[in-house]
Every structure is written in structure tokens, then in C-alpha cells.
């Protein structure tokens, strides 16, 4: 999938576990790093001056914040430590009333192998009430620039107990 947003992620030696590869729990931090940088990128919208904001984070407004509602990660290949940055590709897979879903791939730059497919569901929440609030129209418009397909997760076949067969 072509990247809607590519974040170059510098690995740290501390990301590596006793097995010699990047530990699975570090991937959540990688997703957060890519997401935070993406939210702070200059807007692509042609109507920037209309809403006075410069980044997606500005569109959230001081009255609201975003919360993670869900993560899913499918590990496909080990990611080994290297000095060169790895790539985290990010795109928007779904936009709801008060939520949006992001897709990611973590890519080994040496051979282009996808090490993980990931997704995150985010919810826009009012600081005053703690309740979800509707995404601003300007944010929805900006998400269109980053729209992409569903995350290509490999789905496991159902277990016999789930199909009713022994």
C-alpha cells in the first residue's frame, strides 16, 4: 500500500530484547511516535486560512483531546536493531462520528519487508465532560488526504468449537 504518511523511526538499542530483535511491546510506542508526529504535520487542506489551524492537533482544540480506544498488532517478521531508521507508514482507514481508525505498517528498510500490520482506534473526547464529541468538519476534510484501505490483517480460520465441528 502506498504510504499516506511515512514516519522515519530511529530505533534505540534499548528496543532490543534478549532474543536479539525489537521487543513486541515497543511497537505500541512506535505507533504513538508516528501518530503524534502526523498530528503535528502542517495541514494539507487548501482552506487552511478558513479554520485558522495549522495542524491536525490544532483542530482537536484545547477543549478536547484524543484517546486510544483500541490497538491491534499483527507481527509478521522480526525487526532487528539497525542504525538506519525504519519506516512507519500511517493512513486513515475509517472516520466515524467521534472516532477515527488508523492503519500502520512497520517496514524494514533493508529489504522492504513488512514487520507488522497495526491499527489504532482514536476517540475525540471533551475535557469538560469526558464524553465523546463529534469530529470537526475541518478534521474530516483533512483525513480525506490520508484515506486508505483497511489494514491487511491475516485472519485465522475459526477454531472447531467456533464452527460447531469437532
Amino acid at each position: 500500500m502506498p504510504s499516506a504518511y511515512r514516519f522515519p523511526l530511529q530505533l534505540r538499542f534499548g528496543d532490543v530484547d534478549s532474543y536479539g530483535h525489537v521487543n513486541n511491546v515497543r511497537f505500541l510506542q512506535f505507533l504513538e511516535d508516528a501518530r503524534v508526529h502526523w498530528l503535528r504535520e502542517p495541514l494539507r487542506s487548501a482552506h487552511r486560512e478558513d479554520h485558522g489551524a495549522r495542524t491536525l492537533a490544532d483542530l482537536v482544540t484545547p477543549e478536547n483531546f484524543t484517546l486510544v480506544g483500541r490497538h491491534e498488532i499483527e507481527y509478521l517478521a522480526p525487526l532487528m536493531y539497525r542504525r538506519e531508521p525504519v519506516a512507519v507508514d500511517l493512513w486513515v482507514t475509517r472516520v466515524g462520528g467521534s472516532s477515527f481508525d488508523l492503519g500502520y505498517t512497520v517496514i524494514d528498510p533493508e529489504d522492504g519487508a513488512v514487520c507488522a500490520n497495526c491499527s489504532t482506534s482514536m476517540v475525540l473526547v471533551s475535557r469538560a465532560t469526558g464524553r465523546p464529541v463529534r469530529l470537526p468538519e475541518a478534521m474530516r476534510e483533512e483525513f480525506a488526504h490520508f484515506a486508505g484501505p483497511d489494514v491487511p490483517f491475516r485472519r485465522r480460520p475459526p477454531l472447531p468449537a467456533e464452527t460447531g465441528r469437532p
Side-chain angles (χ1 to χ4, degrees):
M1 191 209 105
S3 172
Y5 177 74
R6 177 163 278 188
F7 177 66
L9 177 78
Q10 185 62 56
L11 296 176
R12 298 178 307 177
F13 184 75
D15 294 334
V16 178
D17 63 17
S18 61
Y19 295 118
H21 63 272
V22 174
N23 188 275
N24 65 68
V25 298
R26 299 298 302 141
F27 280 73
L28 285 174
Q29 185 66 56
F30 298 167
L31 304 182
E32 180 182 53
D33 290 347
R35 187 173 61 250
V36 168
H37 278 56
W38 170 67
L39 288 169
R40 300 203 184 303
E41 282 288 308
L43 293 176
R44 293 185 180 187
S45 173
H47 306 292
R48 271 189 282 233
E49 61 281 351
D50 293 346
H51 45 70
R54 295 187 354 247
T55 69
L56 277 166
D58 293 327
L59 297 177
V60 169
T61 75
E63 294 81 27
N64 302 315
F65 58 95
T66 56
L67 292 177
V68 171
R70 179 177 188 276
H71 284 301
E72 185 172 357
I73 302 175
E74 180 179 46
Y75 302 96
L76 302 171
L79 180 59
M80 309 308 284
Y81 175 78
R82 65 192 27 81
R83 289 183 182 177
E84 303 77 30
V86 299
V88 179
D89 286 354
L90 175 152
W91 64 97
V92 176
T93 62
R94 186 191 69 80
V95 179
S98 62
S99 65
F100 58 97
D101 293 349
L102 300 174
Y104 314 79
T105 53
V106 179
I107 301 168
D108 183 336
E110 258 181 44
D111 59 7
V114 174
C115 297
N117 286 322
C118 317
S119 69
T120 300
S121 296
M122 302 293 298
V123 182
L124 185 65
V125 176
S126 164
R127 289 182 189 276
T129 67
R131 305 284 305 152
V133 296
R134 188 150 184 81
L135 295 170
E137 192 56 40
M139 186 176 272
R140 293 170 180 282
E141 289 174 16
E142 195 63 24
F143 286 160
H145 296 286
F146 297 96
D150 288 339
V151 178
F153 289 120
R154 297 180 303 187
R155 298 296 178 192
R156 297 183 299 178
L159 297 172
E162 297 169 338
T163 63
R165 295 187 310 216

